[in-house]
Amino acid sequence: MVASAQVVDGPDSGPPAPAAWPDRLLSPFTAIGAGSIVAAASIGRVALFAARALRAALTPRWYFGQILRQLYAIGFLSLPVVGMTAVFTGAALALNIWTGGSRFNAEEAMPQIVAIGITRELGPVMAALMLAGRVSAAIASEIGAMKATEQIDAMVTLSTDPYRYLIAPRLLAAVIMLPLLTLLADIIGIGGGWLVGVRVLDMSPTIYIQNTWDFLQNWDVESGLVKAAVFGFIVALMGCYNGITAKGGARGVGRATTQAVVSSAILILAADYLLTSLFTRI
Amino acid sequence: MAEVIVPKLEWRDVSKRFDGPQVLAGLDLAVAPGRSLVIIGGSGQGKSVAIKIALGLIPADSGQVLIDGVDVAGLSAQDHAQFFARVGMLFQGGALFDSLSVWENIAFRLINAERMPRREAKARALEVLGLVRLGSHVADLYPSELSGGMQKRVGLARAIIGNPEILFFDEPTTGLDPITASAINALIRDRVSSLGCTAVSITHDLASARTIADEIAMLHQGRIVWRGDAHELDTTDNPHIRQFVDGRADGPINADV
Ligand SMILES: Nc1ncnc2c1ncn2[C@@H]1O[C@H](COP(=O)(O)OP(=O)(O)OP(=O)(O)O)[C@@H](O)[C@H]1O
Ligand SMILES: [Mg+2]
């Protein structure tokens, strides 16, 4: 298989012989097969890394200075991005639900639907995806650059465990801050819907709030916050993992950064579905 | 007969290969306590790799590294952490933390491993900064604001703070002017002679090797091809050493490549 794949892919192998055709037709499957072996191996490595990182995060010693620094970098500095995303998402959602709902005279239910959509789904997911872009990338490139310039090795020789000093603070900060950011995104997102309802659709401001408030259940918000904590873990974990496994200088760091963003975004969406199906069974 | 001394540090038949050719091929080398060993050898011969294996930063393919006669590979995580408390390392590239200021770099071990209060740690860092001939005005700068030679000296200061027993210096004087270089050589020599540290240094600078070393070993093609007292460097007729010392392009080292 390997040899024929080389024949097919070789740049100077000329036109492929007819005998190569069956292999060529099958090659997507071999590619998928090889890909899944690689994927399984890397899932194993990520799991081992996650176990070690969790142990560092949950047992002393904690570097509180580093944790504070990360709470600031991951949480506070993400406020504008998350806020902007939430307000536009809420506003657009309101318009869409209104027009969609008007087909069966359900436009009056718009505030409630926006509130559910934001708190259960879009608040946590949008905030997490923004952090995948902002935070996961920043973590991967910073740790990757430290790896490339032997700063991680140096830290070890200075009797300091990089899992405790670098990785645990980022994990803890992301798990703490993403639910808080999500809570904010919930409020701002519903605010975006309210703005559209009041300014564009001429709804009564008090009735909009009333409808939202009366209809929303605690669990709508809580389930979103639980999701957010899981997403926070994913964002920091993928940033740290890709950073610490970066190889080969600046190019390797660039690749690690891309990997961190892509893998955390995909994992966030997959985890979102899993958690939603778990929560909706209640 | 001289009494048997347990070496402070010993590489026993250590081999290492990355994707390419064999880097270390059965390295056997030892340093007695309180002695200064200098490893010389051509570029890319595995000197830095040998030190990183000794520190456990890179795993060896085979062989052992013994510290005080104990195999470091068998140490528990706890013992390994204690091992690093007795070790200082200057990396070839400096490896300074670029998010921390110069004094925070130097005091990193004191603050983060020994939990010394920051004020006290800063005072200690400033003392050591003087030892490597840097003024206290650089203390609050960041590594990216320093010249290459200054970064090297900050790395050196970070390695020697807290007086570790075993010191590793990967090219301590590369990139320094001759006057600063000789001051650094004297500092390293002093650590061994006055404080009784054991030192392993890598250098390409023979003047530096002569000052720092009690013993010199030459690494070539993954093995030690010569080893002797520092003063024997100029009297030995070992062809590898002769070629290296005379800086000739032709000889066994060229022929082997
Ligand atoms: N992490 C690594 N991955 C792959 N190969 C490596 C790695 N580190 C070192 N090597 C290879 O090992 C060999 C020895 O490298 P090393 O850095 O020990 O050389 P050196 O003797 O210190 O050279 P120099 O005097 O130039 O610093 C080189 O061929 C290098 O390519
Ligand atoms: Mg080197």
Side-chain angles (χ1 to χ4, degrees):
Chain A
M1 273 322 228
V2 171
S4 56
Q6 277 168 352
V7 170
V8 171
D9 294 336
D12 49 12
S13 60
W21 272 102
D23 263 0
R24 205 181 195 190
L25 289 175
L26 282 174
S27 67
F29 299 100
T30 46
I32 290 170
S36 3
I37 292 171
V38 172
S42 63
I43 287 171
R45 280 194 296 272
V46 173
L48 281 178
F49 176 81
R52 194 169 165 194
L54 268 178
R55 211 180 60 167
L58 299 178
T59 58
R61 142 172 207 210
W62 291 288
Y63 289 95
F64 290 107
Q66 295 303 308
I67 296 173
L68 277 179
R69 203 184 262 230
Q70 293 305 323
L71 286 172
Y72 175 77
I74 293 177
F76 188 73
L77 295 183
S78 298
L79 285 175
V81 183
V82 171
M84 298 292 273
T85 318
V87 73
F88 290 125
T89 307
L93 186 64
L95 277 181
N96 277 323
I97 303 281
W98 180 273
T99 34
S102 66
R103 289 174 206 154
F104 42 95
N105 296 326
E107 60 265 50
E108 293 305 326
M110 185 270 273
Q112 294 92 314
I113 297 176
V114 166
I116 290 205
I118 293 280
T119 54
R120 295 187 75 115
E121 179 70 23
L122 289 171
V125 170
M126 297 300 283
L129 289 178
M130 285 296 127
L131 258 68
R134 213 190 81 82
V135 170
S136 204
I139 293 177
S141 57
E142 186 179 9
I143 294 186
M146 291 185 75
K147 174 89 185 302
T149 53
E150 298 183 320
Q151 292 176 50
I152 309 258
D153 286 341
M155 192 175 286
V156 173
T157 69
L158 295 168
S159 310
T160 304
D161 182 356
Y163 278 78
R164 295 194 180 282
Y165 187 88
L166 290 175
I167 292 170
R170 284 165 174 77
L171 276 181
L172 291 169
V175 170
I176 292 169
M177 289 319 274
L178 196 47
L180 293 179
L181 287 167
T182 296
L183 197 58
L184 184 89
D186 289 350
I187 295 166
I188 295 183
I190 291 173
W194 178 85
L195 267 181
V196 165
V198 172
R199 290 292 166 95
V200 183
L201 307 171
D202 275 336
M203 297 172 78
S204 148
T206 43
I207 290 180
Y208 191 108
I209 303 273
Q210 192 78 48
N211 282 354
T212 304
W213 193 250
D214 289 348
F215 190 74
L216 208 55
Q217 294 174 358
N218 286 346
W219 180 242
D220 294 331
V221 177
E222 288 160 7
S223 68
L225 300 186
V226 173
K227 279 182 179 181
V230 175
F231 299 163
F233 181 72
I234 291 173
V235 163
L237 186 78
M238 294 325 285
C240 292
Y241 175 76
N242 285 290
I244 210 131
T245 53
K247 282 201 175 68
R251 236 183 104 213
V253 174
R255 205 167 33 223
T257 307
T258 312
Q259 273 288 322
V261 175
V262 172
S263 59
S264 52
I266 292 175
L267 283 176
I268 284 165
L269 295 172
D272 179 51
Y273 178 73
L274 280 177
L275 290 172
T276 306
S277 63
L278 203 73
F279 291 160
T280 47
R281 212 177 292 164
I282 296 166
Chain B
M1 284 298 288
E3 58 185 308
V4 180
I5 302 170
V6 178
K8 192 78 192 169
L9 168 67
E10 181 178 4
W11 288 264
R12 211 177 262 179
D13 197 22
V14 171
S15 294
K16 180 68 190 180
R17 175 169 180 264
F18 296 98
D19 294 335
Q22 196 76 28
V23 176
L24 297 178
L27 172 67
D28 280 307
L29 189 60
V31 213
R35 301 277 286 175
S36 171
L37 171 74
V38 165
I39 304 175
I40 59 175
S43 187
Q45 293 295 328
K47 304 182 298 295
S48 297
V49 168
I51 283 196
K52 287 183 199 161
I53 287 176
L55 287 165
L57 299 174
I58 298 179
D61 295 339
S62 62
Q64 292 171 299
V65 173
L66 310 177
I67 307 270
D68 291 325
V70 179
D71 188 347
V72 274
L75 292 182
S76 69
Q78 191 120 37
D79 290 345
H80 214 246
Q82 274 171 8
F83 159 66
F84 279 118
R86 301 192 288 140
V87 170
M89 162 80 181
L90 165 64
F91 285 81
Q92 187 168 0
L96 300 180
F97 304 120
D98 40 33
S99 61
L100 299 179
S101 68
V102 163
W103 81 262
E104 288 171 318
N105 262 280
I106 298 174
F108 191 88
R109 178 196 294 282
L110 304 183
I111 295 172
N112 293 297
E114 298 175 13
R115 304 189 187 210
M116 186 182 282
R118 285 172 69 87
R119 280 173 69 92
E120 198 181 325
K122 182 165 186 177
R124 292 277 301 276
L126 288 174
E127 274 169 36
V128 184
L129 202 57
L131 290 181
V132 296
R133 298 202 138 206
L134 286 170
S136 54
H137 60 280
V138 302
D140 291 310
L141 298 179
Y142 282 81
S144 60
E145 298 169 313
L146 302 182
S147 76
M150 290 162 89
Q151 291 184 12
K152 204 74 199 233
R153 283 179 282 160
V154 173
L156 188 77
R158 188 176 67 178
I160 63 176
I161 202 165
N163 297 329
E165 289 167 40
I166 312 176
L167 290 162
F168 295 91
F169 301 115
D170 198 342
E171 308 200 3
T173 56
T174 310
L176 300 183
D177 64 84
I179 299 167
T180 313
S182 72
I184 295 302
N185 289 335
L187 171 65
I188 294 175
R189 187 63 245 177
D190 182 59
R191 294 274 129 180
V192 177
S193 306
S194 317
L195 298 179
C197 301
T198 308
V200 178
S201 318
I202 294 172
T203 185
H204 292 289
D205 174 0
L206 289 170
S208 170
R210 287 189 179 94
T211 324
I212 300 173
D214 294 316
E215 296 155 65
I216 294 178
M218 177 157 186
L219 182 63
H220 185 61
Q221 295 202 322
R223 284 198 181 81
I224 298 302
V225 291
W226 184 80
R227 151 136 220 211
D229 279 353
H231 59 81
E232 291 176 78
L233 198 63
D234 298 302
T235 53
T236 176
D237 53 6
N238 179 294
H240 286 92
I241 292 291
R242 287 272 58 86
Q243 187 191 352
F244 197 84
V245 171
D246 300 343
R248 281 181 283 111
D250 58 322
I253 296 176
N254 187 35
D256 287 341
V257 172

Short mmCIF file of all heavy atoms in Angstrom, two decimals, chain A residues 31-65:
data_model
loop_
_atom_site.label_atom_id
_atom_site.label_comp_id
_atom_site.label_asym_id
_atom_site.label_seq_id
_atom_site.Cartn_x
_atom_site.Cartn_y
_atom_site.Cartn_z
N ALA A 31 -6.19 6.66 3.46
CA ALA A 31 -5.84 7.92 4.11
C ALA A 31 -6.63 8.09 5.41
O ALA A 31 -6.07 8.46 6.45
CB ALA A 31 -6.13 9.09 3.18
N ILE A 32 -7.93 7.75 5.33
CA ILE A 32 -8.75 7.85 6.54
C ILE A 32 -8.25 6.87 7.60
O ILE A 32 -8.13 7.22 8.78
CB ILE A 32 -10.23 7.59 6.20
CG1 ILE A 32 -10.78 8.75 5.39
CG2 ILE A 32 -11.05 7.39 7.49
CD1 ILE A 32 -12.15 8.50 4.80
N GLY A 33 -7.89 5.65 7.14
CA GLY A 33 -7.39 4.64 8.08
C GLY A 33 -6.12 5.12 8.77
O GLY A 33 -6.03 5.11 10.00
N ALA A 34 -5.18 5.58 7.95
CA ALA A 34 -3.91 6.06 8.52
C ALA A 34 -4.19 7.25 9.43
O ALA A 34 -3.65 7.35 10.53
CB ALA A 34 -2.96 6.46 7.40
N GLY A 35 -5.09 8.11 8.97
CA GLY A 35 -5.44 9.27 9.77
C GLY A 35 -6.02 8.87 11.11
O GLY A 35 -5.68 9.47 12.13
N SER A 36 -6.86 7.83 11.12
CA SER A 36 -7.46 7.47 12.41
C SER A 36 -6.45 6.84 13.35
O SER A 36 -6.57 7.02 14.57
CB SER A 36 -8.67 6.52 12.25
OG SER A 36 -8.88 6.17 10.94
N ILE A 37 -5.45 6.14 12.79
CA ILE A 37 -4.41 5.60 13.68
C ILE A 37 -3.65 6.75 14.33
O ILE A 37 -3.43 6.78 15.55
CB ILE A 37 -3.44 4.69 12.90
CG1 ILE A 37 -4.20 3.42 12.47
CG2 ILE A 37 -2.23 4.33 13.75
CD1 ILE A 37 -3.43 2.55 11.54
N VAL A 38 -3.29 7.73 13.51
CA VAL A 38 -2.59 8.90 14.04
C VAL A 38 -3.47 9.60 15.07
O VAL A 38 -3.01 9.97 16.15
CB VAL A 38 -2.22 9.88 12.90
CG1 VAL A 38 -1.67 11.17 13.47
CG2 VAL A 38 -1.21 9.24 11.97
N ALA A 39 -4.76 9.73 14.74
CA ALA A 39 -5.68 10.41 15.65
C ALA A 39 -5.77 9.67 16.98
O ALA A 39 -5.71 10.28 18.04
CB ALA A 39 -7.06 10.54 15.01
N ALA A 40 -5.88 8.32 16.91
CA ALA A 40 -5.99 7.54 18.14
C ALA A 40 -4.74 7.72 18.99
O ALA A 40 -4.84 7.91 20.21
CB ALA A 40 -6.19 6.06 17.81
N ALA A 41 -3.58 7.70 18.33
CA ALA A 41 -2.34 7.87 19.08
C ALA A 41 -2.30 9.25 19.73
O ALA A 41 -1.90 9.39 20.89
CB ALA A 41 -1.14 7.69 18.15
N SER A 42 -2.76 10.27 18.99
CA SER A 42 -2.65 11.60 19.59
C SER A 42 -3.71 11.80 20.66
O SER A 42 -3.47 12.52 21.63
CB SER A 42 -2.69 12.70 18.52
OG SER A 42 -3.93 12.69 17.88
N ILE A 43 -4.85 11.12 20.53
CA ILE A 43 -5.84 11.18 21.62
C ILE A 43 -5.22 10.61 22.90
O ILE A 43 -5.36 11.18 23.98
CB ILE A 43 -7.13 10.42 21.25
CG1 ILE A 43 -7.91 11.22 20.22
CG2 ILE A 43 -7.99 10.17 22.49
CD1 ILE A 43 -9.08 10.48 19.63
N GLY A 44 -4.48 9.52 22.74
CA GLY A 44 -3.80 8.93 23.89
C GLY A 44 -2.82 9.89 24.52
O GLY A 44 -2.78 10.06 25.74
N ARG A 45 -2.05 10.55 23.66
CA ARG A 45 -1.05 11.50 24.19
C ARG A 45 -1.73 12.68 24.89
O ARG A 45 -1.29 13.13 25.94
CB ARG A 45 -0.14 11.99 23.06
CG ARG A 45 0.96 11.01 22.70
CD ARG A 45 2.01 11.67 21.84
NE ARG A 45 1.48 12.11 20.56
CZ ARG A 45 1.44 11.34 19.48
NH1 ARG A 45 1.92 10.11 19.52
NH2 ARG A 45 0.94 11.79 18.35
N VAL A 46 -2.81 13.18 24.25
CA VAL A 46 -3.53 14.30 24.87
C VAL A 46 -4.10 13.88 26.22
O VAL A 46 -4.04 14.64 27.20
CB VAL A 46 -4.65 14.83 23.94
CG1 VAL A 46 -5.49 15.87 24.66
CG2 VAL A 46 -4.05 15.43 22.68
N ALA A 47 -4.62 12.64 26.29
CA ALA A 47 -5.22 12.17 27.54
C ALA A 47 -4.16 12.09 28.64
O ALA A 47 -4.40 12.51 29.78
CB ALA A 47 -5.89 10.82 27.33
N LEU A 48 -2.99 11.56 28.30
CA LEU A 48 -1.91 11.49 29.29
C LEU A 48 -1.51 12.89 29.76
O LEU A 48 -1.33 13.14 30.95
CB LEU A 48 -0.68 10.81 28.68
CG LEU A 48 -0.74 9.30 28.59
CD1 LEU A 48 0.51 8.76 27.92
CD2 LEU A 48 -0.87 8.71 30.00
N PHE A 49 -1.41 13.79 28.78
CA PHE A 49 -1.05 15.16 29.10
C PHE A 49 -2.11 15.79 30.01
O PHE A 49 -1.79 16.45 31.00
CB PHE A 49 -0.91 15.98 27.81
CG PHE A 49 -0.64 17.43 28.04
CD1 PHE A 49 0.65 17.86 28.33
CD2 PHE A 49 -1.66 18.37 27.97
CE1 PHE A 49 0.91 19.20 28.55
CE2 PHE A 49 -1.40 19.71 28.19
CZ PHE A 49 -0.12 20.12 28.48
N ALA A 50 -3.38 15.53 29.66
CA ALA A 50 -4.48 16.12 30.44
C ALA A 50 -4.43 15.61 31.88
O ALA A 50 -4.63 16.38 32.83
CB ALA A 50 -5.82 15.78 29.79
N ALA A 51 -4.13 14.31 32.05
CA ALA A 51 -4.08 13.75 33.40
C ALA A 51 -2.99 14.42 34.21
O ALA A 51 -3.19 14.82 35.37
CB ALA A 51 -3.84 12.24 33.32
N ARG A 52 -1.83 14.58 33.59
CA ARG A 52 -0.71 15.20 34.30
C ARG A 52 -1.01 16.66 34.62
O ARG A 52 -0.70 17.16 35.71
CB ARG A 52 0.54 15.08 33.44
CG ARG A 52 1.78 15.37 34.20
CD ARG A 52 3.03 14.98 33.45
NE ARG A 52 4.16 15.62 34.09
CZ ARG A 52 5.36 15.73 33.56
NH1 ARG A 52 5.59 15.23 32.36
NH2 ARG A 52 6.33 16.33 34.20
N ALA A 53 -1.62 17.35 33.64
CA ALA A 53 -1.93 18.77 33.83
C ALA A 53 -2.97 18.95 34.94
O ALA A 53 -2.86 19.84 35.78
CB ALA A 53 -2.42 19.38 32.53
N LEU A 54 -3.98 18.05 34.94
CA LEU A 54 -5.02 18.12 35.97
C LEU A 54 -4.44 17.90 37.35
O LEU A 54 -4.81 18.59 38.30
CB LEU A 54 -6.10 17.08 35.69
CG LEU A 54 -7.28 17.53 34.86
CD1 LEU A 54 -8.24 16.38 34.63
CD2 LEU A 54 -8.00 18.69 35.55
N ARG A 55 -3.54 16.95 37.44
CA ARG A 55 -2.94 16.68 38.74
C ARG A 55 -2.18 17.91 39.24
O ARG A 55 -2.25 18.27 40.41
CB ARG A 55 -2.02 15.47 38.68
CG ARG A 55 -1.99 14.74 40.01
CD ARG A 55 -1.10 13.56 39.97
NE ARG A 55 0.25 13.98 39.65
CZ ARG A 55 1.32 13.21 39.78
NH1 ARG A 55 1.18 11.97 40.17
NH2 ARG A 55 2.51 13.66 39.50
N ALA A 56 -1.48 18.55 38.31
CA ALA A 56 -0.75 19.76 38.70
C ALA A 56 -1.71 20.88 39.10
O ALA A 56 -1.42 21.67 40.01
CB ALA A 56 0.15 20.23 37.56
N ALA A 57 -2.87 20.93 38.42
CA ALA A 57 -3.81 22.03 38.70
C ALA A 57 -4.55 21.82 40.01
O ALA A 57 -4.94 22.79 40.66
CB ALA A 57 -4.80 22.17 37.55
N LEU A 58 -4.76 20.54 40.41
CA LEU A 58 -5.64 20.27 41.54
C LEU A 58 -4.90 19.96 42.84
O LEU A 58 -5.52 19.85 43.89
CB LEU A 58 -6.57 19.10 41.20
CG LEU A 58 -7.49 19.37 40.00
CD1 LEU A 58 -8.35 18.16 39.69
CD2 LEU A 58 -8.37 20.59 40.26
N THR A 59 -3.57 19.83 42.77
CA THR A 59 -2.83 19.56 44.00
C THR A 59 -1.82 20.68 44.23
O THR A 59 -1.39 21.33 43.29
CB THR A 59 -2.06 18.22 43.89
OG1 THR A 59 -1.18 18.30 42.77
CG2 THR A 59 -3.00 17.05 43.72
N PRO A 60 -1.46 20.95 45.51
CA PRO A 60 -0.46 21.98 45.74
C PRO A 60 0.89 21.48 45.17
O PRO A 60 1.04 20.28 44.99
CB PRO A 60 -0.42 22.11 47.25
CG PRO A 60 -1.02 20.85 47.79
CD PRO A 60 -1.90 20.30 46.74
N ARG A 61 1.79 22.31 44.81
CA ARG A 61 1.76 23.72 45.12
C ARG A 61 1.19 24.56 43.98
O ARG A 61 1.43 24.25 42.81
CB ARG A 61 3.20 24.09 45.46
CG ARG A 61 3.62 25.41 44.98
CD ARG A 61 4.95 25.80 45.50
NE ARG A 61 4.99 27.25 45.53
CZ ARG A 61 6.13 27.91 45.37
NH1 ARG A 61 7.24 27.26 45.23
NH2 ARG A 61 6.11 29.20 45.38
N TRP A 62 0.47 25.65 44.34
CA TRP A 62 -0.05 26.55 43.33
C TRP A 62 0.77 27.84 43.30
O TRP A 62 1.12 28.37 44.36
CB TRP A 62 -1.51 26.90 43.67
CG TRP A 62 -2.43 25.74 43.51
CD1 TRP A 62 -2.85 25.18 42.32
CD2 TRP A 62 -3.09 25.00 44.54
NE1 TRP A 62 -3.71 24.13 42.58
CE2 TRP A 62 -3.88 24.00 43.92
CE3 TRP A 62 -3.07 25.08 45.93
CZ2 TRP A 62 -4.64 23.09 44.66
CZ3 TRP A 62 -3.83 24.18 46.66
CH2 TRP A 62 -4.61 23.20 46.02
N TYR A 63 1.03 28.31 42.11
CA TYR A 63 1.71 29.61 41.96
C TYR A 63 0.64 30.68 41.79
O TYR A 63 0.18 30.94 40.68
CB TYR A 63 2.66 29.58 40.76
CG TYR A 63 3.87 28.71 40.99
CD1 TYR A 63 3.89 27.38 40.57
CD2 TYR A 63 4.98 29.20 41.66
CE1 TYR A 63 4.99 26.58 40.80
CE2 TYR A 63 6.09 28.41 41.90
CZ TYR A 63 6.09 27.10 41.48
OH TYR A 63 7.17 26.30 41.71
N PHE A 64 0.24 31.28 42.91
CA PHE A 64 -0.91 32.19 42.86
C PHE A 64 -0.65 33.43 42.01
O PHE A 64 -1.55 33.93 41.35
CB PHE A 64 -1.33 32.57 44.29
CG PHE A 64 -1.94 31.41 45.01
CD1 PHE A 64 -1.26 30.75 46.02
CD2 PHE A 64 -3.21 30.95 44.65
CE1 PHE A 64 -1.82 29.65 46.66
CE2 PHE A 64 -3.78 29.86 45.30
CZ PHE A 64 -3.07 29.21 46.30
N GLY A 65 0.59 33.89 42.02
CA GLY A 65 0.91 35.04 41.17
C GLY A 65 0.64 34.74 39.71
O GLY A 65 0.07 35.56 38.98
#
